[in-house]
Amino acid sequence: MRKRTLVWLLLAAVLVGCNRDHPRFSARNLDIQLGGRPVVSLERQLAGPAAEPVFSRVEILPGRGFNIYQIRAVLPGRGEVNLMTAPPLEEALTFMNRGPEDFYGTRSFTVGGAILVPFANRIRGKLLEPERMIETLVAGRTLRLPANWSGKQPGAEPHAIHGLILDMPLEPVKLDARNGPGGYASVWGRLDAGDFRGHWISRTVLEFTARLSEAAFEFSVTAANAGSEASPIGIGWHPYFEFPGGNREVARIRIPARQRTVVNNYDDVFPTGALLAVKGTPYDFSGPEGAPLGDLFLDDCFVDLIKNDRGETVAEIRDPGANYGLRIISPSPQISAIQVYAPVNRNFVAIEPQFNWADPFNPIWKGRDTGMVALGPAESVTYQVRLELFRP
């Protein structure tokens, strides 16, 4: 009996040690639904006060194209803070309502972190006004895309923007969690997008994964051509990152790029086909610690990216006011552009790693590779992003 008691005491000590040294992870469906699917919460319960910045919770919308809606972190001296610009989930129920302003899920990319498939950014074409569509050439095929955006100025040209899955629900969705060394919380989901409701070529099947661990939050999107025709695929992410320190002007960003595309104006934001070097200009954020935003407005597509020794694209946010840094790592070799949106009167920056450049099929590019991936039947491509926290 004494020997058995000793064994149980030793086992309890081991378990207590595990709980003390490692956070507890859980993955659960919340009671609230968006797009007909429960919101998924990946959670990390800390064993004690955090000495370094750590991710604590991620909320994902499988009913709205796997929008990574909110990411929370515990920052030393500040507690748990939101890292994304997004209203409370209860408000999102009325915000994302499939009404006229939410045409094809448009409101999904105005908050949180929408996944963009089968293209990121803008595509122009001939407006078909009664149908609220544009007619355009995609890889030599005439297609109709939803005209779901335009600038704010009178007479601004309607166009298609940010893909075709913004309001599409995933089915099925599976959750998983593990505790102890190497612990994590994760979600996997599948979307048979077909031909994207008649707006794209061939048939595409998408698989999504997201994983919260001790070291990072990471996610991936794999697009597989399940049809009989070759199909172009562009994938991107549209996250709005908050500045917890509340001072946008002193916040710094690092964008590893040598050039940016020229646009006609910052209302339409249509590329002209010209490129400009960023070195020696206010748009050069490529240094080891980036550069402060100051009072510079940005809605720019940065290209000619500088990869690290592992072939990764690495952007950063540094917020001195909160002693907070976020590293945005894109391992996918197909990443060829980073769109950056930072209005001067808002406390966020959208840093958007993406496969394709803006308006990728437009003849203005004169044969340049604009990043769309040509998938033959049975071929696939994977988009990946890994987020890491650090002290600046």
Side-chain angles (χ1 to χ4, degrees), residues 324-336:
Y324 154 79
L326 179 68
R327 194 166 288 119
I328 305 153
I329 304 167
S330 304
S332 304
Q334 295 84 3
I335 299 288
S336 72

Side-chain angles (χ1 to χ4, degrees), residues 22-360:
H22 298 280
R24 292 190 61 82
F25 290 93
S26 61
R28 62 192 180 100
N29 289 320
L30 301 183
D31 291 337
I32 190 168
Q33 291 196 4
L34 274 163
R37 300 288 185 274
V39 176
V40 169
S41 181
L42 307 180
E43 300 173 5
R44 169 182 181 167
Q45 183 179 348
L46 299 180
E52 297 291 333
V54 292
F55 294 112
S56 56
R57 194 182 324 177
V58 180
E59 293 168 350
I60 298 173
L61 312 183
R64 297 285 294 201
F66 210 73
N67 186 315
I68 299 169
Y69 188 77
Q70 187 57 267
I71 300 173
R72 294 186 174 92
V74 175
L75 305 184
R78 286 182 173 262
E80 189 177 54
V81 301
N82 292 337
L83 300 185
M84 309 280 278
T85 298
L89 285 167
E90 292 75 15
E91 292 183 24
L93 282 171
T94 56
F95 184 73
M96 299 183 187
N97 56 12
R98 292 179 177 262
E101 299 301 316
D102 193 32
F103 184 57
Y104 275 77
T106 297
R107 281 182 163 167
S108 287
F109 72 76
T110 64
V111 292
I115 307 294
L116 316 177
V117 185
F119 62 91
N121 223 304
R122 293 156 172 81
I123 292 182
R124 300 174 69 183
K126 177 185 175 183
L127 179 64
L128 306 174
E129 197 161 2
E131 298 93 337
R132 203 175 170 184
M133 295 283 160
I134 62 166
E135 190 171 83
T136 191
L137 282 176
V138 172
R141 290 272 298 274
T142 300
L143 297 179
R144 292 187 174 189
L145 303 177
N148 60 328
W149 197 252
S150 68
K152 303 295 189 293
Q153 296 300 316
E157 177 187 320
H159 53 277
I161 192 169
H162 293 334
L164 300 166
I165 69 163
L166 297 169
D167 62 347
M168 284 189 168
L170 278 60
E171 181 63 40
V173 176
K174 298 179 182 179
L175 310 182
D176 189 24
R178 177 183 297 175
N179 287 300
Y184 64 84
S186 68
V187 56
W188 171 91
R190 184 177 187 270
L191 170 58
D192 187 344
D195 60 3
F196 298 91
R197 293 177 279 199
H199 299 301
W200 209 248
I201 304 169
S202 197
R203 173 189 168 210
T204 301
V205 175
L206 301 168
E207 289 194 7
F208 303 78
T209 63
R211 180 183 175 108
L212 176 64
S213 66
E214 291 192 45
F217 169 69
E218 53 198 323
F219 72 92
S220 68
V221 184
T222 297
N225 186 346
S228 58
E229 300 178 78
S231 179
I233 292 290
I235 306 178
W237 186 38
H238 198 295
Y240 293 86
F241 292 115
E242 289 270 358
F243 299 120
N247 189 344
R248 180 245 196 228
E249 290 191 359
V250 301
R252 305 175 72 92
I253 61 171
R254 179 174 181 268
I255 306 297
R258 300 181 185 90
Q259 298 183 90
R260 66 185 179 98
T261 65
V262 179
V263 297
N264 63 334
N265 58 62
Y266 277 141
D267 189 54
D268 294 322
V269 203
F270 295 148
T272 66
L275 302 177
L276 287 177
V278 300
K279 188 174 182 179
T281 76
Y283 298 89
D284 188 0
F285 298 95
S286 64
E289 296 186 0
L293 282 169
D295 60 358
L296 182 67
F297 177 94
L298 287 170
D299 197 354
D300 291 84
C301 186
F302 290 83
V303 297
D304 194 7
L305 301 181
I306 304 164
K307 311 276 183 168
N308 66 14
D309 292 341
R310 294 182 294 277
E312 301 167 328
T313 303
V314 183
E316 290 182 351
I317 296 169
R318 295 168 181 256
D319 186 350
N323 196 19
Y324 154 79
L326 179 68
R327 194 166 288 119
I328 305 153
I329 304 167
S330 304
S332 304
Q334 295 84 3
I335 299 288
S336 72
I338 300 176
Q339 183 78 22
V340 180
Y341 174 54
V344 294
N345 59 343
R346 301 292 299 276
N347 189 47
F348 68 74
V349 59
I351 296 180
E352 312 163 39
Q354 51 198 44
F355 285 0
N356 64 278
W357 301 11
D359 207 6

